[in-house]
Short mmCIF file of all heavy atoms in Angstrom, two decimals:
data_model
loop_
_atom_site.label_atom_id
_atom_site.label_comp_id
_atom_site.label_asym_id
_atom_site.label_seq_id
_atom_site.Cartn_x
_atom_site.Cartn_y
_atom_site.Cartn_z
N MET A 110 101.63 17.83 102.81
CA MET A 110 102.80 17.44 102.06
C MET A 110 103.47 18.69 101.47
O MET A 110 102.81 19.52 100.87
CB MET A 110 102.41 16.48 100.96
CG MET A 110 103.53 16.21 99.97
SD MET A 110 103.05 15.12 98.63
CE MET A 110 103.58 13.55 99.33
N THR A 111 104.74 18.84 101.70
CA THR A 111 105.52 19.93 101.13
C THR A 111 106.00 19.54 99.77
O THR A 111 106.61 18.50 99.56
CB THR A 111 106.71 20.27 102.03
OG1 THR A 111 106.23 20.64 103.31
CG2 THR A 111 107.49 21.41 101.45
N LEU A 112 105.65 20.35 98.75
CA LEU A 112 106.04 20.06 97.41
C LEU A 112 107.27 20.91 97.04
O LEU A 112 107.24 22.13 97.15
CB LEU A 112 104.89 20.39 96.46
CG LEU A 112 103.59 19.63 96.81
CD1 LEU A 112 102.46 20.14 95.91
CD2 LEU A 112 103.74 18.15 96.68
N LYS A 113 108.33 20.26 96.62
CA LYS A 113 109.58 20.97 96.33
C LYS A 113 110.03 20.82 94.88
O LYS A 113 111.21 20.87 94.61
CB LYS A 113 110.67 20.44 97.27
CG LYS A 113 110.35 20.74 98.75
CD LYS A 113 111.42 20.26 99.64
CE LYS A 113 111.08 20.59 101.10
NZ LYS A 113 112.11 20.15 102.01
N TYR A 114 109.06 20.62 94.02
CA TYR A 114 109.40 20.50 92.61
C TYR A 114 109.65 21.85 91.97
O TYR A 114 108.98 22.86 92.32
CB TYR A 114 108.31 19.75 91.86
CG TYR A 114 108.20 18.30 92.25
CD1 TYR A 114 107.27 17.90 93.18
CD2 TYR A 114 109.07 17.37 91.72
CE1 TYR A 114 107.21 16.60 93.57
CE2 TYR A 114 108.98 16.04 92.08
CZ TYR A 114 108.06 15.64 93.02
OH TYR A 114 108.00 14.35 93.42
N GLU A 115 110.56 21.90 91.02
CA GLU A 115 110.81 23.13 90.29
C GLU A 115 109.61 23.52 89.45
O GLU A 115 108.98 22.64 88.83
CB GLU A 115 112.02 22.91 89.39
CG GLU A 115 112.36 24.10 88.49
CD GLU A 115 113.56 23.83 87.65
OE1 GLU A 115 114.54 23.28 88.12
OE2 GLU A 115 113.51 24.15 86.45
N LEU A 116 109.26 24.78 89.46
CA LEU A 116 108.19 25.30 88.62
C LEU A 116 108.79 26.28 87.61
O LEU A 116 109.60 27.12 87.96
CB LEU A 116 107.18 26.08 89.48
CG LEU A 116 106.55 25.37 90.66
CD1 LEU A 116 105.61 26.27 91.39
CD2 LEU A 116 105.83 24.09 90.22
N ILE A 117 108.34 26.14 86.39
CA ILE A 117 108.67 27.11 85.33
C ILE A 117 107.40 27.89 85.03
O ILE A 117 106.41 27.28 84.65
CB ILE A 117 109.20 26.39 84.07
CG1 ILE A 117 110.48 25.66 84.42
CG2 ILE A 117 109.43 27.42 82.97
CD1 ILE A 117 111.02 24.83 83.28
N ILE A 118 107.48 29.18 85.26
CA ILE A 118 106.24 30.02 85.17
C ILE A 118 106.48 31.06 84.08
O ILE A 118 107.50 31.74 84.12
CB ILE A 118 105.93 30.70 86.51
CG1 ILE A 118 105.86 29.65 87.61
CG2 ILE A 118 104.66 31.51 86.40
CD1 ILE A 118 105.86 30.19 89.02
N TYR A 119 105.54 31.18 83.17
CA TYR A 119 105.68 32.21 82.13
C TYR A 119 104.29 32.67 81.67
O TYR A 119 103.29 31.96 81.87
CB TYR A 119 106.49 31.69 80.96
CG TYR A 119 105.92 30.46 80.29
CD1 TYR A 119 105.05 30.53 79.24
CD2 TYR A 119 106.27 29.18 80.78
CE1 TYR A 119 104.57 29.37 78.64
CE2 TYR A 119 105.77 28.05 80.22
CZ TYR A 119 104.91 28.14 79.15
OH TYR A 119 104.37 27.00 78.53
N TRP A 120 104.28 33.86 81.06
CA TRP A 120 103.05 34.41 80.51
C TRP A 120 102.86 33.91 79.12
O TRP A 120 103.78 33.93 78.31
CB TRP A 120 103.08 35.92 80.53
CG TRP A 120 101.91 36.55 79.85
CD1 TRP A 120 101.90 37.12 78.58
CD2 TRP A 120 100.58 36.64 80.34
NE1 TRP A 120 100.65 37.56 78.31
CE2 TRP A 120 99.79 37.29 79.36
CE3 TRP A 120 99.98 36.26 81.53
CZ2 TRP A 120 98.45 37.54 79.54
CZ3 TRP A 120 98.62 36.50 81.68
CH2 TRP A 120 97.87 37.14 80.70
N SER A 121 101.67 33.43 78.78
CA SER A 121 101.31 32.96 77.45
C SER A 121 100.39 34.01 76.79
O SER A 121 99.26 34.16 77.24
CB SER A 121 100.64 31.62 77.47
OG SER A 121 100.11 31.29 76.17
N GLU A 122 100.92 34.73 75.84
CA GLU A 122 100.11 35.73 75.11
C GLU A 122 98.94 35.02 74.40
O GLU A 122 97.80 35.53 74.40
CB GLU A 122 101.02 36.47 74.11
CG GLU A 122 100.42 37.74 73.64
CD GLU A 122 100.25 38.80 74.72
OE1 GLU A 122 101.13 38.94 75.58
OE2 GLU A 122 99.23 39.47 74.74
N GLU A 123 99.23 33.86 73.83
CA GLU A 123 98.16 33.12 73.12
C GLU A 123 97.01 32.72 74.01
O GLU A 123 95.85 32.85 73.64
CB GLU A 123 98.83 31.87 72.52
CG GLU A 123 97.84 30.98 71.76
CD GLU A 123 98.49 29.75 71.15
OE1 GLU A 123 99.72 29.71 71.05
OE2 GLU A 123 97.75 28.81 70.81
N ASP A 124 97.35 32.26 75.22
CA ASP A 124 96.30 31.82 76.18
C ASP A 124 95.82 32.95 77.08
O ASP A 124 94.85 32.76 77.84
CB ASP A 124 96.84 30.69 77.02
CG ASP A 124 97.19 29.45 76.20
OD1 ASP A 124 96.40 29.06 75.35
OD2 ASP A 124 98.32 28.89 76.43
N GLN A 125 96.54 34.05 77.09
CA GLN A 125 96.23 35.18 77.99
C GLN A 125 96.16 34.70 79.45
O GLN A 125 95.24 35.03 80.21
CB GLN A 125 94.90 35.86 77.56
CG GLN A 125 95.02 36.65 76.30
CD GLN A 125 95.96 37.82 76.40
OE1 GLN A 125 95.69 38.75 77.15
NE2 GLN A 125 97.06 37.79 75.70
N SER A 126 97.15 33.88 79.81
CA SER A 126 97.23 33.40 81.19
C SER A 126 98.66 33.02 81.49
O SER A 126 99.50 32.89 80.61
CB SER A 126 96.31 32.20 81.40
OG SER A 126 96.71 31.14 80.60
N PHE A 127 98.95 32.88 82.79
CA PHE A 127 100.22 32.37 83.25
C PHE A 127 100.22 30.87 83.11
O PHE A 127 99.22 30.23 83.49
CB PHE A 127 100.52 32.80 84.69
CG PHE A 127 100.87 34.25 84.81
CD1 PHE A 127 99.91 35.21 85.06
CD2 PHE A 127 102.20 34.64 84.65
CE1 PHE A 127 100.25 36.53 85.15
CE2 PHE A 127 102.55 36.01 84.76
CZ PHE A 127 101.57 36.95 85.01
N ILE A 128 101.30 30.29 82.65
CA ILE A 128 101.43 28.85 82.52
C ILE A 128 102.50 28.40 83.52
O ILE A 128 103.56 29.04 83.65
CB ILE A 128 101.88 28.45 81.08
CG1 ILE A 128 100.93 29.06 80.04
CG2 ILE A 128 102.01 26.93 80.94
CD1 ILE A 128 99.51 28.56 80.08
N VAL A 129 102.27 27.30 84.17
CA VAL A 129 103.20 26.71 85.10
C VAL A 129 103.49 25.27 84.60
O VAL A 129 102.57 24.47 84.46
CB VAL A 129 102.68 26.63 86.53
CG1 VAL A 129 103.73 26.03 87.46
CG2 VAL A 129 102.29 28.01 87.04
N GLU A 130 104.77 25.00 84.36
CA GLU A 130 105.19 23.65 84.00
C GLU A 130 106.01 23.06 85.11
O GLU A 130 106.76 23.77 85.78
CB GLU A 130 106.00 23.67 82.68
CG GLU A 130 105.22 24.15 81.49
CD GLU A 130 106.04 24.19 80.24
OE1 GLU A 130 107.25 23.90 80.29
OE2 GLU A 130 105.44 24.54 79.20
N VAL A 131 105.87 21.77 85.32
CA VAL A 131 106.61 21.02 86.32
C VAL A 131 107.46 20.00 85.61
O VAL A 131 107.02 18.87 85.40
CB VAL A 131 105.67 20.38 87.42
CG1 VAL A 131 106.49 19.82 88.56
CG2 VAL A 131 104.65 21.39 87.92
N PRO A 132 108.66 20.36 85.19
CA PRO A 132 109.45 19.47 84.34
C PRO A 132 109.77 18.11 84.90
O PRO A 132 109.95 17.15 84.15
CB PRO A 132 110.71 20.28 84.05
CG PRO A 132 110.65 21.51 84.82
CD PRO A 132 109.35 21.60 85.49
N GLU A 133 109.88 18.00 86.22
CA GLU A 133 110.21 16.72 86.83
C GLU A 133 109.01 15.73 86.87
O GLU A 133 109.25 14.55 87.11
CB GLU A 133 110.75 16.94 88.22
CG GLU A 133 112.06 17.71 88.26
CD GLU A 133 112.49 18.07 89.62
OE1 GLU A 133 112.08 19.12 90.15
OE2 GLU A 133 113.25 17.25 90.18
N LEU A 134 107.84 16.26 86.60
CA LEU A 134 106.65 15.38 86.57
C LEU A 134 106.05 15.41 85.15
O LEU A 134 105.36 16.38 84.82
CB LEU A 134 105.60 15.84 87.58
CG LEU A 134 106.09 15.93 89.05
CD1 LEU A 134 104.98 16.48 89.91
CD2 LEU A 134 106.60 14.59 89.52
N PRO A 135 106.36 14.46 84.31
CA PRO A 135 105.94 14.50 82.88
C PRO A 135 104.44 14.79 82.70
O PRO A 135 103.59 14.19 83.35
CB PRO A 135 106.27 13.10 82.38
CG PRO A 135 107.36 12.62 83.28
CD PRO A 135 107.04 13.21 84.65
N GLY A 136 104.17 15.82 81.88
CA GLY A 136 102.82 16.18 81.59
C GLY A 136 102.14 17.04 82.63
O GLY A 136 100.97 17.38 82.49
N CYS A 137 102.83 17.40 83.68
CA CYS A 137 102.25 18.17 84.77
C CYS A 137 102.39 19.67 84.47
O CYS A 137 103.48 20.20 84.40
CB CYS A 137 102.92 17.80 86.09
SG CYS A 137 102.11 18.49 87.53
N ALA A 138 101.23 20.29 84.32
CA ALA A 138 101.22 21.74 84.05
C ALA A 138 99.86 22.30 84.51
O ALA A 138 98.89 21.58 84.70
CB ALA A 138 101.39 21.97 82.55
N ALA A 139 99.86 23.61 84.70
CA ALA A 139 98.64 24.32 85.09
C ALA A 139 98.66 25.71 84.56
O ALA A 139 99.72 26.17 84.01
CB ALA A 139 98.55 24.35 86.65
N ASP A 140 97.57 26.43 84.70
CA ASP A 140 97.52 27.78 84.27
C ASP A 140 96.66 28.60 85.22
O ASP A 140 96.01 28.06 86.11
CB ASP A 140 97.04 27.92 82.82
CG ASP A 140 95.56 27.49 82.65
OD1 ASP A 140 94.97 26.97 83.61
OD2 ASP A 140 95.02 27.67 81.58
N GLY A 141 96.67 29.93 85.02
CA GLY A 141 95.86 30.80 85.85
C GLY A 141 95.86 32.21 85.31
O GLY A 141 96.78 32.59 84.59
N GLU A 142 94.81 32.96 85.66
CA GLU A 142 94.72 34.34 85.16
C GLU A 142 95.76 35.27 85.80
O GLU A 142 96.15 36.27 85.22
CB GLU A 142 93.32 34.89 85.40
CG GLU A 142 92.26 34.24 84.53
CD GLU A 142 90.90 34.84 84.76
OE1 GLU A 142 90.76 35.93 85.37
OE2 GLU A 142 89.92 34.24 84.25
N THR A 143 96.15 34.89 87.02
CA THR A 143 97.23 35.65 87.72
C THR A 143 98.35 34.70 88.05
O THR A 143 98.20 33.48 88.03
CB THR A 143 96.70 36.27 89.02
OG1 THR A 143 96.37 35.23 89.94
CG2 THR A 143 95.50 37.18 88.78
N TYR A 144 99.50 35.29 88.35
CA TYR A 144 100.65 34.50 88.74
C TYR A 144 100.31 33.62 89.96
O TYR A 144 100.58 32.41 90.00
CB TYR A 144 101.81 35.49 89.08
CG TYR A 144 103.15 34.85 89.41
CD1 TYR A 144 104.09 34.70 88.42
CD2 TYR A 144 103.44 34.42 90.69
CE1 TYR A 144 105.34 34.16 88.71
CE2 TYR A 144 104.65 33.88 91.00
CZ TYR A 144 105.61 33.72 89.98
OH TYR A 144 106.82 33.17 90.29
N GLN A 145 99.68 34.26 90.96
CA GLN A 145 99.35 33.54 92.18
C GLN A 145 98.35 32.41 91.90
O GLN A 145 98.47 31.31 92.50
CB GLN A 145 98.76 34.50 93.22
CG GLN A 145 99.75 35.48 93.74
CD GLN A 145 100.00 36.71 92.82
OE1 GLN A 145 99.33 36.86 91.79
NE2 GLN A 145 100.89 37.57 93.22
N ALA A 146 97.36 32.66 91.07
CA ALA A 146 96.36 31.62 90.74
C ALA A 146 97.03 30.46 90.00
O ALA A 146 96.71 29.30 90.25
CB ALA A 146 95.24 32.21 89.91
N ALA A 147 97.95 30.78 89.10
CA ALA A 147 98.63 29.71 88.37
C ALA A 147 99.46 28.81 89.30
O ALA A 147 99.43 27.62 89.20
CB ALA A 147 99.54 30.34 87.29
N VAL A 148 100.16 29.42 90.26
CA VAL A 148 100.93 28.66 91.23
C VAL A 148 100.02 27.84 92.12
O VAL A 148 100.30 26.63 92.35
CB VAL A 148 101.87 29.57 92.07
CG1 VAL A 148 102.51 28.80 93.21
CG2 VAL A 148 102.93 30.22 91.17
N ALA A 149 98.91 28.40 92.58
CA ALA A 149 97.99 27.67 93.40
C ALA A 149 97.40 26.48 92.62
O ALA A 149 97.27 25.36 93.17
CB ALA A 149 96.86 28.57 93.88
N ASN A 150 97.06 26.68 91.37
CA ASN A 150 96.55 25.60 90.52
C ASN A 150 97.62 24.55 90.34
O ASN A 150 97.31 23.34 90.31
CB ASN A 150 96.08 26.13 89.17
CG ASN A 150 94.85 27.02 89.30
OD1 ASN A 150 94.12 26.95 90.27
ND2 ASN A 150 94.60 27.86 88.31
N ALA A 151 98.84 24.94 90.17
CA ALA A 151 99.98 23.97 90.01
C ALA A 151 100.12 23.11 91.23
O ALA A 151 100.35 21.92 91.14
CB ALA A 151 101.26 24.71 89.71
N GLU A 152 99.94 23.69 92.42
CA GLU A 152 100.03 22.92 93.66
C GLU A 152 99.00 21.80 93.69
O GLU A 152 99.29 20.68 94.07
CB GLU A 152 99.91 23.82 94.87
CG GLU A 152 101.10 24.73 95.05
CD GLU A 152 100.93 25.75 96.17
OE1 GLU A 152 99.79 25.89 96.70
OE2 GLU A 152 101.90 26.40 96.53
N VAL A 153 97.80 22.13 93.23
CA VAL A 153 96.74 21.13 93.19
C VAL A 153 97.07 20.02 92.19
O VAL A 153 96.91 18.86 92.44
CB VAL A 153 95.37 21.79 92.84
CG1 VAL A 153 94.29 20.77 92.55
CG2 VAL A 153 94.94 22.75 93.94
N VAL A 154 97.52 20.46 91.00
CA VAL A 154 97.82 19.49 89.93
C VAL A 154 98.99 18.58 90.31
O VAL A 154 98.98 17.39 90.03
CB VAL A 154 98.10 20.24 88.60
CG1 VAL A 154 98.58 19.32 87.51
CG2 VAL A 154 96.81 20.92 88.14
N ILE A 155 99.99 19.14 91.01
CA ILE A 155 101.12 18.33 91.45
C ILE A 155 100.60 17.24 92.40
O ILE A 155 100.94 16.07 92.31
CB ILE A 155 102.20 19.19 92.13
CG1 ILE A 155 102.90 20.06 91.09
CG2 ILE A 155 103.18 18.32 92.88
CD1 ILE A 155 103.78 21.13 91.66
N GLN A 156 99.76 17.67 93.35
CA GLN A 156 99.26 16.65 94.30
C GLN A 156 98.42 15.61 93.60
O GLN A 156 98.55 14.43 93.89
CB GLN A 156 98.40 17.38 95.39
CG GLN A 156 97.96 16.48 96.50
CD GLN A 156 99.12 15.91 97.29
OE1 GLN A 156 100.06 16.65 97.64
NE2 GLN A 156 99.10 14.65 97.55
N GLU A 157 97.64 15.98 92.61
CA GLU A 157 96.81 15.03 91.87
C GLU A 157 97.70 14.11 91.04
O GLU A 157 97.44 12.90 90.95
CB GLU A 157 95.82 15.74 90.96
CG GLU A 157 94.70 16.44 91.75
CD GLU A 157 93.82 17.28 90.88
OE1 GLU A 157 94.14 17.58 89.71
OE2 GLU A 157 92.79 17.76 91.40
N TRP A 158 98.82 14.64 90.49
CA TRP A 158 99.75 13.86 89.68
C TRP A 158 100.33 12.77 90.58
O TRP A 158 100.42 11.61 90.20
CB TRP A 158 100.85 14.75 89.13
CG TRP A 158 101.71 14.13 88.08
CD1 TRP A 158 101.63 14.35 86.74
CD2 TRP A 158 102.78 13.23 88.30
NE1 TRP A 158 102.60 13.60 86.09
CE2 TRP A 158 103.33 12.88 87.02
CE3 TRP A 158 103.39 12.62 89.40
CZ2 TRP A 158 104.38 12.01 86.85
CZ3 TRP A 158 104.43 11.73 89.25
CH2 TRP A 158 104.93 11.45 87.98
N ILE A 159 100.75 13.15 91.78
CA ILE A 159 101.37 12.22 92.73
C ILE A 159 100.37 11.14 93.16
O ILE A 159 100.67 9.97 93.17
CB ILE A 159 101.96 12.98 93.93
CG1 ILE A 159 103.17 13.80 93.48
CG2 ILE A 159 102.33 12.00 95.07
CD1 ILE A 159 103.68 14.77 94.52
N GLU A 160 99.15 11.57 93.49
CA GLU A 160 98.11 10.61 93.89
C GLU A 160 97.78 9.61 92.76
O GLU A 160 97.60 8.43 93.05
CB GLU A 160 96.86 11.36 94.30
CG GLU A 160 96.99 12.09 95.61
CD GLU A 160 95.84 13.04 95.94
OE1 GLU A 160 94.87 13.09 95.11
OE2 GLU A 160 95.91 13.73 96.95
N THR A 161 97.74 10.10 91.55
CA THR A 161 97.47 9.22 90.41
C THR A 161 98.60 8.23 90.22
O THR A 161 98.37 7.02 90.00
CB THR A 161 97.24 10.04 89.13
OG1 THR A 161 96.10 10.91 89.34
CG2 THR A 161 96.96 9.14 87.93
N ALA A 162 99.85 8.71 90.29
CA ALA A 162 100.99 7.83 90.16
C ALA A 162 101.01 6.75 91.20
O ALA A 162 101.28 5.58 90.94
CB ALA A 162 102.29 8.63 90.20
N GLN A 163 100.68 7.14 92.44
CA GLN A 163 100.62 6.14 93.55
C GLN A 163 99.57 5.12 93.28
O GLN A 163 99.75 3.91 93.47
CB GLN A 163 100.34 6.87 94.89
CG GLN A 163 101.52 7.66 95.39
CD GLN A 163 101.15 8.51 96.62
OE1 GLN A 163 100.02 8.91 96.81
NE2 GLN A 163 102.18 8.80 97.43
N ALA A 164 98.37 5.56 92.83
CA ALA A 164 97.25 4.65 92.56
C ALA A 164 97.61 3.64 91.44
O ALA A 164 97.15 2.51 91.47
CB ALA A 164 96.00 5.42 92.19
N LEU A 165 98.42 4.12 90.49
CA LEU A 165 98.81 3.23 89.36
C LEU A 165 100.08 2.45 89.63
O LEU A 165 100.53 1.68 88.77
CB LEU A 165 98.98 4.10 88.10
CG LEU A 165 97.72 4.82 87.59
CD1 LEU A 165 98.07 5.75 86.45
CD2 LEU A 165 96.68 3.77 87.15
N GLY A 166 100.68 2.64 90.83
CA GLY A 166 101.90 1.94 91.16
C GLY A 166 103.11 2.44 90.40
O GLY A 166 104.09 1.70 90.25
N ARG A 167 103.07 3.68 89.95
CA ARG A 167 104.18 4.23 89.20
C ARG A 167 105.14 4.98 90.14
O ARG A 167 104.70 5.49 91.20
CB ARG A 167 103.69 5.20 88.13
CG ARG A 167 102.88 4.45 87.09
CD ARG A 167 102.50 5.39 85.94
NE ARG A 167 101.74 4.63 84.97
CZ ARG A 167 100.97 5.22 84.07
NH1 ARG A 167 100.84 6.51 84.02
NH2 ARG A 167 100.31 4.44 83.18
N PRO A 168 106.41 5.06 89.76
CA PRO A 168 107.33 5.77 90.64
C PRO A 168 107.10 7.26 90.63
O PRO A 168 106.66 7.83 89.65
CB PRO A 168 108.73 5.44 90.01
CG PRO A 168 108.41 5.09 88.58
CD PRO A 168 107.04 4.48 88.58
N ILE A 169 107.41 7.88 91.79
CA ILE A 169 107.25 9.32 91.92
C ILE A 169 108.66 9.89 92.00
O ILE A 169 109.41 9.59 92.90
CB ILE A 169 106.45 9.68 93.16
CG1 ILE A 169 105.05 9.07 93.04
CG2 ILE A 169 106.39 11.18 93.37
CD1 ILE A 169 104.26 9.08 94.29
N PRO A 170 109.04 10.79 91.03
CA PRO A 170 110.38 11.30 91.01
C PRO A 170 110.65 12.14 92.28
O PRO A 170 109.77 12.85 92.77
CB PRO A 170 110.38 12.23 89.77
CG PRO A 170 109.24 11.75 88.94
CD PRO A 170 108.24 11.21 89.90
N THR A 171 111.86 11.99 92.77
CA THR A 171 112.32 12.82 93.89
C THR A 171 112.67 14.20 93.34
O THR A 171 113.34 14.28 92.31
CB THR A 171 113.55 12.20 94.55
OG1 THR A 171 113.18 10.88 94.96
CG2 THR A 171 114.03 13.02 95.73
N PRO A 172 112.23 15.29 93.99
CA PRO A 172 112.61 16.61 93.49
C PRO A 172 114.13 16.74 93.40
O PRO A 172 114.83 16.43 94.34
CB PRO A 172 112.02 17.55 94.49
CG PRO A 172 110.93 16.80 95.17
CD PRO A 172 111.38 15.39 95.17
N LYS A 173 114.62 17.22 92.26
CA LYS A 173 116.07 17.36 92.07
C LYS A 173 116.57 18.75 92.36
O LYS A 173 117.74 18.93 92.68
CB LYS A 173 116.44 16.98 90.63
CG LYS A 173 116.05 15.61 90.22
CD LYS A 173 116.88 14.60 90.94
CE LYS A 173 116.52 13.17 90.38
NZ LYS A 173 116.78 12.13 91.27
N GLY A 174 115.72 19.73 92.19
CA GLY A 174 116.21 21.09 92.49
C GLY A 174 116.28 21.96 91.29
O GLY A 174 115.86 21.67 90.20
N ARG A 175 116.87 23.07 91.51
CA ARG A 175 116.91 24.23 90.60
C ARG A 175 117.62 23.92 89.28
O ARG A 175 118.71 23.38 89.21
CB ARG A 175 117.62 25.37 91.30
CG ARG A 175 117.61 26.63 90.55
CD ARG A 175 118.09 27.76 91.43
NE ARG A 175 118.18 28.97 90.67
CZ ARG A 175 119.31 29.54 90.33
NH1 ARG A 175 120.43 29.03 90.77
NH2 ARG A 175 119.30 30.61 89.61
N LEU A 176 116.91 24.30 88.21
CA LEU A 176 117.46 24.32 86.85
C LEU A 176 118.03 22.97 86.38
O LEU A 176 118.97 22.97 85.60
CB LEU A 176 118.46 25.44 86.69
CG LEU A 176 117.94 26.87 86.96
CD1 LEU A 176 119.06 27.86 86.86
CD2 LEU A 176 116.84 27.21 85.98
N LEU A 177 117.49 21.91 86.83
CA LEU A 177 117.96 20.61 86.38
C LEU A 177 117.81 20.46 84.88
O LEU A 177 118.66 19.85 84.24
CB LEU A 177 117.17 19.47 87.10
CG LEU A 177 117.44 18.06 86.62
CD1 LEU A 177 118.86 17.68 87.03
CD2 LEU A 177 116.44 17.11 87.23
N PHE A 178 116.76 21.00 84.29
CA PHE A 178 116.48 20.77 82.91
C PHE A 178 116.87 21.93 82.01
O PHE A 178 116.62 21.91 80.85
CB PHE A 178 115.00 20.49 82.72
CG PHE A 178 114.58 19.21 83.42
CD1 PHE A 178 114.03 19.24 84.67
CD2 PHE A 178 114.75 18.00 82.79
CE1 PHE A 178 113.68 18.05 85.33
CE2 PHE A 178 114.39 16.82 83.43
CZ PHE A 178 113.84 16.81 84.67
N ALA A 179 117.52 22.96 82.56
CA ALA A 179 117.90 24.12 81.76
C ALA A 179 119.11 23.87 80.92
O ALA A 179 119.91 23.03 81.17
CB ALA A 179 118.12 25.34 82.68
#
């Protein structure tokens, strides 16, 4: 499955890690020690978010694209 959701990635000094938020999927976020690890972790969490929503019969938002929430 190709995931096309917008990712917001930033460094958290407090957590000493990169944080990835997926604004189109409520509560969906991941982190990692490196930028690449954070993005890889986000891909896993996005897939798990979608699988959980499907199992619960909840709607899955269609990716809207760049800077929808900015």
Side-chain angles (χ1 to χ4, degrees):
M110 170 182 267
T111 300
L112 305 174
K113 297 182 180 180
Y114 291 98
E115 176 179 316
L116 304 178
I117 298 174
I118 307 166
Y119 58 92
W120 174 256
S121 171
E122 197 65 41
E123 179 180 343
D124 298 313
Q125 290 294 295
S126 63
F127 285 92
I128 307 295
V129 180
E130 296 178 358
V131 187
E133 295 174 273
L134 303 176
C137 189
D140 66 353
E142 290 183 13
T143 66
Y144 185 96
Q145 293 81 3
V148 171
N150 292 340
E152 291 174 349
V153 171
V154 171
I155 289 168
Q156 188 62 46
E157 290 172 350
W158 192 102
I159 291 170
E160 290 170 2
T161 300
Q163 288 173 332
L165 296 173
R167 294 185 179 161
I169 299 167
T171 302
K173 301 290 186 205
R175 187 169 175 248
L176 300 176
L177 174 67
F178 296 95

